[in-house]
Amino acid sequence: MAAIMADAEWIEIGRLEDIPPLGARTVGMPDGDIAVFRTSADEVFALKDACPHRGGPLSQGIVHGRKVTCPLHNWCIGLADGAACEPDEGHTTRYSVENRDGALFLCLVPEE
């Protein structure tokens, strides 16, 4: 997905229809890709594209409900909080995404 500068912290990354339902796209950043996910309910979430277990590419995982399963070792990660599902432990960095009339904007400042 292309990144178009909107302001210092938010960038326009494309449109909702650019991401298939239950799919993901990546936004290339100098310090590592950010994965942007779309659920079947058209919710959009963004996480660092690295599983907290061994760094697997979450963007290549299977989206189900509000979770994604890492393609390497089947760790389940919550899309809303970036946390590994029990019994696993750990989390990946979350980013805010806004859907503004179908245009998606990504905040480059990670959430706490």
Side-chain angles (χ1 to χ4, degrees):
M1 299 178 80
I4 302 167
M5 293 306 288
D7 62 40
E9 294 181 353
W10 289 86
I11 58 171
E12 185 175 353
I13 56 171
R15 300 201 50 83
L16 179 64
E17 59 266 18
D18 294 336
I19 306 172
L22 300 177
R25 295 290 183 260
T26 58
V27 177
M29 302 304 296
D31 57 344
D33 288 350
I34 297 172
V36 182
F37 301 91
R38 178 180 176 185
T39 68
S40 61
D42 290 337
E43 295 177 289
V44 182
F45 299 94
L47 302 172
K48 181 175 180 170
D49 193 22
C51 179
H53 176 227
R54 297 263 174 121
L58 294 175
S59 61
Q60 295 176 29
I62 297 171
V63 177
H64 48 99
R66 298 178 90 206
K67 300 174 182 168
V68 62
T69 298
C70 179
L72 294 186
H73 301 104
N74 293 323
W75 274 41
C76 179
I77 308 298
L79 294 174
D81 60 8
C85 303
E86 291 185 0
D88 299 318
E89 296 179 358
H91 70 277
T92 192
T93 304
R94 298 177 291 139
Y95 296 86
S96 293
V97 181
E98 290 184 1
N99 182 347
R100 302 178 189 169
D101 296 321
L104 300 178
F105 288 81
L106 174 69
C107 182
L108 300 178
V109 177
E111 292 184 7
E112 296 288 321

